[in-house]
Amino acid sequence: MTKEHLSLSRRQLIQSGSAALATSVAGLAPAFAKAPIIGTQAPYFYRFKLGNAEATIVSDGPLPLGDPHKNFNGLAPAEMDKQLTDNFLPLENAVLEQNVLILNTGDRMVLFDTGMGSLKLFGPTTGKLMTTIKQAGIDPKDIDAVVMSHAHIDHCGGCMADDGTRNFPNAQYYISQADYDFWTDPAKVGPDFKVFLETAQKNLPPNKDRMVFIKDGQEFLPGIQAISAPGHTVGHTIFMISSGGKQLCYIGDLTHHPVLLMEKPLTEFAYDTDAKQSAQSRVKMLNMLAANRIPLLAYHFAWPGIGHVAKQGEGFRYYPEPMNMAL
Ligand SMILES: [Zn+2]
């Protein structure tokens, strides 16, 4: 505080009495601050260490599925409303995330699933992957492996750009042969899933010469093991990632909802190819993850989708892991 300022304050004190004391002496004039609403969000990536590897989760953007009553089957409406209400979730719209994992092992950059691409079946909020990957400081040219849990639109939709070029020009592609064969075949994909057929045809066959078909139990890349978990699709696969004594299970679409497919995990999901088999896979794999306390990354859970599951009641409870911004 300058001398002039001090003397001004003294004069104000004499002239204005105790009201000025509160403001001028302390230097805290009432601000009545205002500022424009900013309206932009933080960069859409989250980074953490996994053993010797560096993991980054980027997003393809929120995917609003719509009315949960139309998408999750087998729960009475009142039971579904209770589960949602008890968990402070809206009754009218189930909003899924699209958490895309990028694993830098030091030798390789591995991308798990590719989002929706330019397809806007669920509105304008998807299709962010090529932006968020750059926000995260990752060059798409550095991705050497694109690993897909299955061939649905929100997982294979971002392999190819609309101009026919590859979004990840230096990558090999990994998927189960069962999913590749099913979703690119018009004889197998029913008319209700026409857009799924078209999206798979756009994104997978152009990479056939770079496609590696992964098998159940196979460690197809160092530290990355495929585990078949069929039902959601015929070849749906989850991935156990190990590095430096740490593990993370990338569960793809083993469960789409942290509550509705967990409290009563035999609840069925409308987009499952075989919903009963999907539920059996879900229970089996979640039991394994709960028993071994293995952390998971769920593609569709709330950002960034990492946490643990534990057995609770008839099913499971998901415990999101706190984000560690200190890295
Ligand atoms: Zn999905």
Side-chain angles (χ1 to χ4, degrees), residues 150 154-155 232 253 256 299-300:
H150 62 298
D154 50 328
H155 297 261
H232 178 54
D253 282 8
H256 290 74
Y299 187 75
H300 288 303

Side-chain angles (χ1 to χ4, degrees), residues 235-264:
H236 180 257
T237 305
I238 68 174
F239 304 104
M240 190 66 79
I241 302 163
S242 307
S243 177
K246 299 280 184 195
Q247 283 189 306
L248 176 72
C249 191
Y250 179 85
I251 66 168
D253 282 8
L254 191 67
T255 162
H256 290 74
H257 198 283
V259 175
L260 296 178
L261 293 175
M262 302 290 278
E263 285 191 17
K264 295 202 169 149

Side-chain angles (χ1 to χ4, degrees), residues 10 19 56 61 84 100 126 132 149 167 188 216 223 240-241 248 265:
R10 283 200 196 99
T56 305
L84 292 168
V100 174
T126 62
T132 57
S149 57
N167 281 331
K188 293 199 172 88
D216 184 24
M240 190 66 79
I241 302 163
L248 176 72

Side-chain angles (χ1 to χ4, degrees), residues 77-320:
E79 163 77 17
M80 184 178 292
D81 290 356
K82 180 171 174 13
Q83 286 192 17
L84 292 168
T85 304
D86 287 353
N87 287 277
F88 302 92
L89 290 168
L91 300 181
E92 69 285 355
N93 192 5
V95 179
L96 309 184
E97 268 292 342
Q98 296 183 93
N99 304 312
V100 174
L101 173 66
I102 301 170
L103 189 74
N104 185 348
T105 66
D107 295 323
R108 288 172 194 274
M109 288 283 269
V110 186
L111 174 82
F112 292 80
D113 290 327
T114 67
M116 295 271 291
S118 60
L119 186 64
K120 300 296 179 193
L121 191 67
F122 297 99
T125 57
T126 62
K128 294 186 190 300
L129 178 64
M130 299 314 286
T131 301
T132 57
I133 197 171
K134 285 169 197 154
Q135 282 182 342
I138 295 170
D139 186 339
K141 293 191 191 71
D142 290 340
I143 301 290
D144 3 66
V146 172
V147 175
M148 285 169 277
S149 57
H150 62 298
H152 271 178
I153 52 175
D154 50 328
H155 297 261
C156 79
C159 290
M160 302 298 288
D162 285 349
D163 64 4
T165 59
R166 294 183 171 95
N167 281 331
F168 308 102
N170 299 312
Q172 278 201 298
Y173 299 79
Y174 299 79
I175 196 168
S176 70
Q177 183 158 14
D179 251 50
Y180 183 99
D181 290 349
F182 185 97
W183 291 102
T184 55
D185 184 351
K188 293 199 172 88
V189 181
D192 291 350
F193 284 83
K194 185 165 171 276
V195 70
F196 284 64
L197 172 73
E198 289 165 354
T199 301
Q201 287 178 329
K202 172 185 169 186
N203 286 281
L204 298 178
N207 298 302
K208 181 103 200 238
D209 58 335
R210 298 163 170 226
M211 196 73 60
V212 179
F213 292 131
I214 49 180
K215 297 191 173 55
D216 184 24
Q218 183 186 9
E219 187 178 341
F220 60 95
L221 287 167
I224 305 175
Q225 184 189 23
I227 305 173
S228 182
H232 178 54
T233 60
V234 287
H236 180 257
T237 305
I238 68 174
F239 304 104
M240 190 66 79
I241 302 163
S242 307
S243 177
K246 299 280 184 195
Q247 283 189 306
L248 176 72
C249 191
Y250 179 85
I251 66 168
D253 282 8
L254 191 67
T255 162
H256 290 74
H257 198 283
V259 175
L260 296 178
L261 293 175
M262 302 290 278
E263 285 191 17
K264 295 202 169 149
L266 297 181
T267 303
E268 297 176 2
F269 183 56
Y271 292 86
D272 286 343
T273 301
D274 182 337
K276 303 251 178 299
Q277 186 188 37
S278 177
Q280 293 303 322
S281 287
R282 179 157 53 248
V283 171
K284 181 180 169 189
M285 297 303 166
L286 293 180
N287 269 329
M288 179 270 289
L289 296 174
N292 295 291
R293 300 177 65 87
I294 296 171
L296 60 85
L297 169 49
Y299 187 75
H300 288 303
F301 281 9
W303 173 256
I306 335 170
H308 286 81
V309 283
K311 293 191 81 161
Q312 181 175 279
E314 300 167 51
F316 301 92
R317 181 171 165 192
Y318 171 61
Y319 294 83

